[in-house]
Amino acid sequence: MQFNCTIEMDNDAFIGTEPLTHPTLEVARILNKLAKDMDDAYTDGDTSWDGYLRDINGNKVGYYKVEGED
């Protein structure tokens, strides 16, 4: 199996001009949300492991997919 994830970091959510903001913090927020969503989906019996990633402003900034056999 392989986990693939791409995040485009060229929009306002990644600029980091506000206090306590930095591009890496937005990436961390996105990945933390993804981890929680995947955990919740597994608990609910969902085994479709792909989807879009959104920044704090709700914009699509990436995609993830788990490929291969279990």
Side-chain angles (χ1 to χ4, degrees):
M1 286 175 69
Q2 184 175 16
F3 175 78
N4 294 304
C5 176
T6 301
I7 299 174
E8 296 293 330
M9 299 173 57
D10 58 357
N11 68 25
D12 289 343
F14 297 93
I15 291 178
T17 57
E18 299 297 320
L20 299 176
T21 62
H22 190 273
T24 57
L25 294 176
E26 180 60 11
V27 170
R29 189 199 65 75
I30 291 168
L31 293 177
N32 280 320
K33 182 177 183 318
L34 173 59
K36 182 182 180 322
D37 290 350
M38 290 178 80
D39 185 49
D40 291 347
Y42 183 80
T43 302
D44 293 340
D46 185 359
T47 58
S48 60
W49 302 109
D50 67 323
Y52 291 102
L53 303 170
R54 295 184 180 273
D55 67 16
I56 193 77
N57 300 318
N59 299 310
K60 286 182 187 176
V61 294
Y63 187 77
Y64 72 93
K65 186 171 187 171
V66 175
E67 299 177 299
E69 297 179 27
D70 292 351

